Each structure stands twice: as structure tokens, then as C-alpha cells.
Amino acid sequence: MAGIGNVQLGVKLTTADVHNQRLTTTATGMASVSSGFVWNPTSRAILKKEETDKQNDDNLIFLFEYRALLNSRIQTLIAQLSNALASDLDVAMSAANPRWGGTPKPAMNGLSTPTVADAGAARTAYNFMMGWMSSSTVSAGATPALTGSAFVPGPPPVPGSVQQAEGFDGTFEGVAYGGGTPTLRAAGTATLVTVGPLPANGNSRVIDTLQIGDLRGAAPTFIYTNTNADDAAPTADHNVLDNSFSGPLGAGARARNAKNLFQKVLFDAVSSVEYRAVLSSGLFKNLVVAASSSLPTGSQVQASFNLSFEGAQDGGNLHISLDKMTAYYASG
């Protein structure tokens, strides 16, 4: 349907345009002494507005396409972090932590057999939390839920196995940006353990912070605030989630205090040039990364994180909050 634009541009500028009339008059009347050049800006003003509108449209299209590019990079990063988190959860369930004796047992199943249940939700939760925090404090009453050392022959029939109702309570400490000691608590039984914040710590769920500096410079800086657990002594806290990137490809991440595969993947991404614009765009807010892992016996561990960047184009702090972590043991 013809509209105002069609009438003005399709008709006026081709048949009744004053500009065209002026050209005709000038061309046929140049021989006359009274002829002259008559300036009429009507058509030029219309063409200028059309060109301005075209430039605005092109700029808007570029803005939308650039925003879509940044969003696609964020979605790619979320997928990569979800895979890394699932791998960390697998390790937390399967690894034997030397913190609990010279001959430690696999975390989730331990000494479990078709007739013996060696519940390992507490051991799994410990493995996972020590892959993030710097130190732990496990109450004396919770130690049997990790080692089973308090049990003697009798039900359960295997010495050293852990009863499913055995209680567990442990706190895990880190190093807060700007001072303080962020602390999270893992509590429950050897069958079911959940992680939550402490009221004394302001109910903060921040489990670690990636400090980013000089983002627009040639050599930006990255460092996780929590240091890695001390593995020097057999009785010290041990981190078993950092063994998968112990080679040269993980040296850079380890130097920045990356303690698990999730943090290694996050550092590798945000330290690359193409992700600098993502950080400074304001889109890196409240990103949720979740994953779960399970065993054929039915045992399962789940975790969910929230990532938010607080800063500007020069840098800032990427806070990683633990929304949920649950470990559940099933005997199959």
C-alpha cells in the first residue's frame, strides 16, 4: 500500500521535484541574460535525512549483532564451566583423600559391598569443599563419618566402615578480598550432607573471588583469593580436585591459585582477549552454572554456582557464590 513515503519519494522526487525543474530551467535558459542558478535545498535536505536514517539503522544493527556475539560467548562459557563442574564432582566422589589415613578409601562408596554400606557423603563433601577453600575444621564427633576409625568389628560387619546415620559437621575457611575469612559449613550425616553459609559470616555464600586488574593494559592480572590447601604433611588438608591439570597447560592457572578444573576453565576464558569485552559489557552478572554426577548405585552429588563481575573496564572482582551443594549416598 502506497504511503506518505511512497508519495514523497516515489512521485515528488521523480516527476514534480523542484530540483529537477530547476535543472531543466537552468539547462534551457543559460543563453538568456536574465537566467541564473536558483538554489532550492528541498530535495537535498530530504536525501540527507534519508542517509542519516540509513546510518542509524546500520549502527543499531551492529549494536544488536555485537550484543548477540557477547551473549553467545557467555553461553559458551557457561557450557564449558558446567562440564568442568561435572568433572570436579566426579573426582570428589571417586578420589581417596590422603587426609584420612595412609590407606584412604574412595570417597563415596568406600568399603561398600553388596552386604556392607560404607556411607561416603561426608567424604565426598570434604573432597569438594577442599577443592575450593584453603583450610578446614572438622569437629571430633564428625571424624568417624570420614574414616570409620571409631568402629570395631560388629555391625557394620567391616571394621572401618561408616554407619549411614553417623553425623558430620565441618567448616571450610578461605581468604576474603579486602580481609576477613569467608566460611562455609558442611553438615548432615554420612548419608546426606548439604553446604550452607554461617550467620556469623553474614550468611555470605561467596566461596572464592577472582581479582582482575589492569584489564585494558597489555598484561592484565588475575588471582583467586583462596590459596590452595597445604598438602605437605599427611595430616594436612588435601585438595584432590587439582590433579587433572598438573601439567604445563595448567601452570598458568595454578600460579593464579586455581584449585579445581572449574576455576582453571574460568581463568583460561576470562584471561583471553576476546572475553575482556564480555567482562566490561555489564552482561557478566548472575550467571548460574549447575551440574550433577551420580554412580550406578544411586549415590549423587549436585552443585550450583552464581558468578557476578563487579567492576569497570579497568578490572574488578568476579565473585563466585555457592548456591547449593548436596552429596547423597545410596547403597544400591
Side-chain angles (χ1 to χ4, degrees):
M1 181 179 68
I4 295 176
N6 179 273
V7 172
Q8 292 295 328
L9 300 179
V11 179
K12 295 297 183 182
L13 293 182
T14 55
T15 60
D17 183 31
V18 177
H19 176 67
N20 291 333
Q21 294 175 2
R22 175 178 57 80
L23 291 177
T24 302
T25 303
T26 302
T28 58
M30 289 298 292
S32 173
V33 177
S34 61
S35 66
F37 188 83
V38 180
W39 173 253
N40 189 321
T42 303
S43 60
R44 181 173 292 275
I46 293 176
L47 293 175
K48 182 178 180 181
K49 290 181 180 179
E50 288 295 315
E51 180 62 25
T52 301
D53 289 341
K54 181 178 182 300
Q55 291 179 359
N56 290 338
D57 290 342
D58 291 343
N59 293 338
L60 191 61
I61 292 174
F62 172 79
L63 178 62
F64 286 154
E65 290 180 345
Y66 185 63
R67 187 181 181 89
L69 172 64
L70 297 181
N71 279 321
S72 68
R73 289 177 177 172
I74 291 177
Q75 294 302 320
T76 299
L77 177 59
I78 290 176
Q80 293 174 338
L81 291 176
S82 296
N83 293 335
L85 178 57
S87 178
D88 286 335
L89 295 175
D90 287 339
V91 174
M93 283 200 300
S94 61
N97 198 313
R99 172 66 175 85
W100 305 113
T103 55
K105 47 193 175 182
M108 184 60 83
N109 279 344
L111 303 174
S112 296
T113 68
T115 59
V116 175
D118 186 11
R123 293 189 295 265
T124 299
Y126 179 89
N127 280 352
F128 184 78
M129 294 303 296
M130 285 315 306
W132 284 88
M133 308 299 267
S134 301
S135 60
S136 70
T137 302
V138 178
S139 63
T143 303
L146 293 160
T147 64
S149 59
F151 293 101
V152 296
V158 177
S161 61
V162 176
Q163 291 181 344
Q164 298 185 52
E166 187 70 33
F168 175 75
D169 192 352
T171 57
F172 299 84
E173 299 83 20
V175 181
Y177 172 73
T181 304
T183 304
L184 294 174
R185 179 189 181 194
T189 66
T191 303
L192 178 64
V193 175
T194 58
V195 177
L198 291 176
N201 196 37
N203 287 320
S204 173
R205 291 183 177 271
V206 175
I207 193 171
D208 208 348
T209 298
L210 178 59
Q211 302 174 50
I212 304 173
D214 197 19
L215 197 57
R216 291 188 294 183
T221 60
F222 302 86
I223 190 72
Y224 288 103
T225 56
N226 290 345
T227 57
N228 211 341
D230 182 12
D231 295 345
T235 58
D237 291 318
H238 282 260
N239 175 20
V240 296
L241 300 189
D242 60 350
N243 296 334
S244 61
F245 56 98
S246 57
L249 293 179
R254 281 177 170 271
R256 274 74 178 184
N257 288 338
K259 299 166 286 296
N260 50 69
L261 189 59
F262 184 101
Q263 290 187 324
K264 193 262 185 186
V265 171
L266 179 61
F267 163 75
D268 288 344
V270 300
S271 62
S272 60
V273 175
E274 58 268 24
Y275 272 89
R276 296 185 188 181
V278 176
L279 290 173
S280 59
S281 66
L283 299 176
F284 212 103
K285 299 285 187 181
N286 296 319
L287 306 185
V288 177
V289 180
S292 63
S293 181
S294 59
L295 297 176
T297 58
S299 298
Q300 189 178 77
V301 58
Q302 305 172 346
S304 174
F305 290 95
N306 183 293
L307 284 71
S308 287
F309 178 72
E310 296 180 359
Q313 293 183 349
D314 290 334
N317 298 313
L318 202 169
H319 298 295
I320 308 171
S321 300
L322 179 62
D323 287 339
K324 179 188 70 173
M325 187 275 170
T326 302
Y328 171 73
Y329 169 81
S331 57

